Amino acid sequence: MASKSSKPAPKKRVGRTRLKREEIEQLFAAFHAIEPEPKGELEHVNAYTLLVAVVLSAQATDAGVNKATRGLFSRADTPEAMLALGEDAVREQVKTIGLYKGKAKNVMALSKRLLDEHPELAPGDVPEDRDYLESLPGVGRKTANVVMNMAFGHHTNAVDTHVFRVSNRTGLAPGKTVDAVEAILDRVVPEQYGLHAHHWLILHGRYLCKARTPECWRCPVIDICKFKDKVPNPADTPKKKARSAKAA
């Protein structure tokens, strides 16, 4: 008789979307109509520089990262060139980015591992292996998903703060953790929208569905969104009377 310890662990329950299938189709169709082929805003020249740029982007803006990496990537766009440049020089190039000392160290460490462990790769390439990418210094699930999506065309969903917020607000993929949100997105995003899904969600969160003051009045999916506290158009809000008028 099998012991209790041999019983399979219960499967974790994956959350559910609050949207109907047709609403999900409408949501992504609306995003597609506005921007058929959205692009990531981090500048890069190959898979390796994309990986480095995403590592540097943690707790930093894409614009700030781009400003720093233009000079860096003009000098080093492969692991070999990065190691030849040296950590001090890398640190100097990215010093305008938050946490730059630790990030420079990670860039050097991941570059060394890529050279040591994958000498067969062409310059500027990285392995098409999400688990391996996640094992690199400074690389987490989100970074690996971005590289798998943008460099290799996989339908992965990189959940950053924008994707997390939009997924929860709209009801598309409500979850308490980024892993929970990613699991729902992986299951409910229609196949035809899978390549660009997380880019649309990022852009929507960055420019419309903002953290503090979402611009609901110009949202293309306002009729689908389940967010209760929709923000009205400020232009439609009656202006308060001037204090002088009140005093009078």
Side-chain angles (χ1 to χ4, degrees):
M1 188 172 90
S3 63
K4 290 184 179 180
S5 61
S6 65
K7 291 182 179 180
K11 293 183 179 180
K12 292 183 179 180
R13 182 179 178 182
V14 178
R16 299 176 61 184
T17 180
R18 294 176 59 201
L19 303 183
K20 297 177 182 177
R21 182 176 298 179
E22 57 268 27
E23 290 178 321
I24 297 174
E25 290 276 355
Q26 291 168 13
L27 181 142
F28 284 107
F31 291 154
H32 177 271
I34 296 169
E35 183 59 72
E37 294 189 11
K39 305 295 183 183
E41 296 185 334
L42 285 174
E43 298 173 5
H44 60 282
V45 296
N46 52 36
Y48 169 73
T49 54
L50 172 62
L51 175 65
V52 171
V54 183
V55 168
L56 294 173
S57 73
Q59 301 181 48
T61 65
D62 287 359
V65 172
N66 290 338
K67 186 176 180 180
T69 57
R70 285 172 195 143
L72 177 63
F73 295 157
S74 69
R75 301 177 65 187
D77 60 1
T78 66
E80 185 175 15
M82 194 70 73
L83 290 174
L85 189 59
E87 186 174 334
D88 289 343
V90 172
R91 191 165 53 240
E92 182 65 21
Q93 288 283 169
V94 302
K95 65 182 180 181
T96 56
I97 302 174
L99 307 175
Y100 72 96
K101 292 182 180 178
K103 291 177 180 179
K105 187 179 293 295
N106 284 334
V107 168
M108 299 303 289
L110 71 84
S111 299
K112 187 174 188 307
R113 277 193 55 189
L114 287 171
L115 272 182
D116 290 347
E117 298 170 359
H118 288 278
E120 79 284 357
L121 291 174
D125 283 353
V126 299
E128 189 176 350
D129 183 328
R130 181 163 59 181
D131 290 338
Y132 177 78
L133 293 174
E134 279 192 71
S135 75
L136 295 173
V139 178
R141 179 79 172 182
K142 184 199 78 171
T143 299
N145 277 341
V146 170
V147 175
M148 293 298 289
N149 177 270
M150 294 180 63
F152 301 112
H154 289 266
H155 290 193
T156 53
N157 291 292
V159 182
D160 68 354
T161 55
H162 299 300
V163 175
F164 186 82
R165 180 173 64 256
V166 173
S167 296
N168 274 280
R169 274 185 180 166
T170 59
L172 173 65
K176 294 182 179 180
T177 66
V178 293
D179 289 342
V181 169
E182 181 186 340
I184 301 173
L185 290 174
D186 286 346
R187 192 176 68 245
V188 305
V189 172
E191 177 67 20
Q192 68 268 35
Y193 300 119
L195 181 62
H196 298 309
H198 89 271
H199 288 299
W200 282 316
L201 295 173
I202 288 172
L203 294 173
H204 188 63
R206 182 173 292 162
Y207 298 112
L208 282 180
C209 195
K210 302 172 185 177
R212 293 187 178 181
T213 310
E215 299 181 13
C216 302
W217 65 91
R218 64 187 190 97
C219 174
V221 295
I222 189 170
D223 294 333
I224 300 169
C225 177
K226 304 303 180 185
F227 184 46
K228 292 181 180 180
D229 302 318
K230 291 185 173 68
V231 179
N233 189 339
D236 296 334
T237 303
K239 294 181 179 180
K240 294 181 180 180
K241 295 181 179 180
R243 290 183 179 180
S244 57
K246 287 184 178 180

